[in-house]
Amino acid sequence: MGGLGWAAYGYLGILNDPGYARSRSLDYLTAHVPLTLLGWGWVVCGLVAVLAGLVASHRQSVGFGTLAVPAAVWAAAFTISASRGYGPAAGSAAAWVSFAILITMVSGMEDPLPPHLRKRGD
């Protein structure tokens, strides 16, 4: 489910409606990487996470690890923007840092399903 959210955020929120506040907070990052590429990065990472969840022999760390990448990039970009004096980025920086850390923590957790339920297609 997180992958679908990430893909939707990339497509709907970044590619189709970047908004001034978001793009202003990402100005340091977008000086080096176009916003459209970043948006597609969210979409691709989201879809990879969805596919990892659907593969019978998946490891949840792959899907959650993929979700952590764009969250960490956003965390760094908003933190840099806030540290350079753009005050509105501070709240977003705190949220994205938290998301990135939580996703990374979840990626290392054991699969909660018993082994006999993890084997699909048998």
Side-chain angles (χ1 to χ4, degrees):
M1 291 308 298
L4 291 176
W6 261 214
Y9 178 72
Y11 185 74
L12 300 172
I14 300 170
L15 293 172
N16 290 313
D17 184 23
Y20 176 74
R22 183 179 308 115
S23 59
R24 168 67 175 96
S25 296
L26 299 171
D27 64 346
Y28 179 80
L29 181 59
T30 56
H32 306 287
V33 181
L35 193 57
T36 54
L37 183 60
L38 294 168
W40 283 114
W42 278 86
V43 171
V44 169
C45 287
L47 295 177
V48 167
V50 169
L51 290 174
L54 296 174
V55 174
S57 63
H58 81 282
R59 300 178 76 188
Q60 79 175 21
S61 61
V62 173
F64 282 109
T66 304
L67 292 178
V69 171
V73 170
W74 249 228
F78 278 92
T79 300
I80 290 169
S81 185
S83 71
R84 298 175 113 207
Y86 185 60
S92 295
W96 285 113
V97 167
S98 297
F99 286 148
I101 290 170
L102 288 171
I103 294 166
T104 302
M105 290 172 62
V106 169
S107 75
M109 295 173 68
E110 292 292 322
D111 192 333
L113 292 175
H116 70 281
L117 293 178
R118 283 187 236 153
K119 295 179 183 179
R120 299 182 204 163
D122 289 346

